[in-house]
Amino acid sequence: MTMTLSKTDFLNSVGTVYGPGEWFKIDQERINKFAEATDDFQFIHVDPERAAAETPFGTTIAHGFLTLSLLAGLVPKIQPKIENVRMGINYGIDKLRFLQPVKVDSEIRASAKILSIDEKRPGQYLTKTEVTIEIKGEEKPALIVEWLGMSFVDE
């Protein structure tokens, strides 16, 4: 069940860590669909036999941008909703590092830490969140990103 924060509690949430969330499996079908959507058919993603023979990974790996794109679904499952939010939009990324490839059939999960919240205009709040995508059984995370989001909050 998703928790809801008042605007005051939201504004006081800097430093709060949410998650980790539930594990989410990255299978070959999802990787192939992402390849189709982005026109990125590099063999390391879509050719299991060649990836096994020619890469140090021993199998196919998810596109880094596939893992990044999953933030849109993974993070809302761990972060509270804010009361009276009309909408939220992606505002950008300040820093992104892909630290470890996500091998096919791996499971990932997200954790998020609120780094800052700034009111840009009345009712418009820019939130910087550090998101870490962990890979089950791996020491290094798949990625760490400082993700920016703009929330439009009705007063």
Side-chain angles (χ1 to χ4, degrees), residues 28 31 43-62 100-106 138:
Q28 190 63 52
I31 294 170
F43 80 93
I44 64 174
H45 306 303
V46 298
D47 187 334
E49 292 79 24
R50 189 170 170 201
E54 297 180 29
T55 72
F57 315 119
T59 189
T60 54
I61 59 171
Q100 174 101 336
V102 177
K103 294 178 182 180
V104 68
D105 294 325
S106 292
E138 297 289 340

Side-chain angles (χ1 to χ4, degrees), residues 113-129:
K113 179 180 181 180
I114 307 301
L115 297 178
S116 64
I117 302 170
D118 297 304
E119 188 171 24
K120 293 300 186 181
R121 293 185 178 167
Q124 293 182 15
Y125 297 92
L126 180 63
T127 304
K128 182 186 292 190
T129 306

Side-chain angles (χ1 to χ4, degrees), residues 38-90:
T38 60
D39 223 14
D40 180 354
F41 295 99
Q42 188 176 175
F43 80 93
I44 64 174
H45 306 303
V46 298
D47 187 334
E49 292 79 24
R50 189 170 170 201
E54 297 180 29
T55 72
F57 315 119
T59 189
T60 54
I61 59 171
H63 305 72
F65 286 119
L66 165 57
T67 306
L68 179 65
S69 71
L70 291 171
L71 271 62
L74 296 174
V75 173
K77 292 177 182 171
I78 59 173
Q79 279 189 322
K81 304 273 187 251
I82 307 160
E83 285 179 350
N84 301 320
V85 168
R86 188 170 3 112
M87 69 176 174
I89 60 172
N90 286 317

Side-chain angles (χ1 to χ4, degrees), residues 7 15 31 60 80 94 109 144:
K7 182 176 135 183
I31 294 170
T60 54
D94 271 356
R109 66 181 179 183
I144 298 176

